[in-house]
Amino acid sequence: TSSSWGSGGKLAVAFSELMASVANAQERGALVHAPRAFVRVFTEVMHEFAGWAQQDAQEFLSVFLSGLSDDVNRAKDKPYVELPDAEGRPDVAVARETWAAHCRRERSAVAALFSGQLKSVLRCAVCGREAATFDPFMSLQVPLP
């Protein structure tokens, strides 16, 4: 890949090879596949997953998608974009502006498929004034009842 972010394409290549290996195993009728090469590359790139410590599946997915997105990101640079305050503008306009800034920095198929935007509202307990922010996310943790 040509991205200057992430692992320089190592994670993307390892994932592609894993998918090809799984497809080949299925064609041969294998029911099990050991992803040793992928795990080796993944733990090289994401050091916090090295060793035998137990990791959470949600944490793995979040780190993996972020790393894969960085590897295939087509953005040449990721300039910081300071967004103006909402100042009474409609939420839709502010959300679009925030999303456009995110999309200038994150130009990958992974980001296009797995990114979303979360609206957070902060309300002053004294005066009742509300301030809304719109933040991009790759994964969203939802509490289960």
Side-chain angles (χ1 to χ4, degrees):
T1 68
S2 61
S3 175
S4 58
W5 314 108
S7 69
K10 290 179 188 174
L11 190 58
V13 169
F15 182 63
S16 174
E17 289 172 352
L18 172 64
M19 292 296 95
S21 181
V22 167
N24 288 338
Q26 286 177 334
E27 287 174 9
R28 291 190 318 269
L31 301 175
V32 177
H33 179 73
R36 289 183 189 93
F38 174 77
V39 171
R40 182 180 41 73
V41 171
F42 184 78
T43 56
E44 265 177 34
V45 173
M46 306 299 180
H47 303 288
E48 64 269 26
F49 285 86
W52 295 99
Q54 184 172 344
Q55 300 293 338
D56 170 296
Q58 187 277 331
E59 183 180 1
F60 164 78
L61 184 61
S62 177
V63 169
F64 169 67
L65 288 176
S66 179
L68 185 60
S69 183
D70 282 345
D71 268 8
V72 298
N73 195 347
R74 295 175 311 215
K76 297 297 178 200
D77 59 354
K78 292 185 172 191
Y80 173 75
V81 178
E82 189 165 338
L83 298 169
D85 289 335
E87 297 179 359
R89 294 183 295 147
D91 281 353
V92 171
V94 177
R96 281 188 183 137
E97 186 176 72
T98 305
W99 188 251
H102 168 71
C103 290
R104 282 192 298 274
R105 294 174 51 87
E106 303 299 331
R107 296 185 55 225
S108 76
V110 177
L113 289 170
F114 294 102
S115 289
Q117 191 175 45
L118 180 68
K119 176 185 176 182
S120 301
V121 178
L122 186 62
R123 181 176 294 121
C124 177
V126 176
C127 69
R129 183 173 182 269
E130 290 185 348
T133 58
F134 297 87
D135 298 304
F137 63 86
M138 185 77 73
S139 64
L140 185 62
Q141 295 181 24
V142 180
L144 297 175

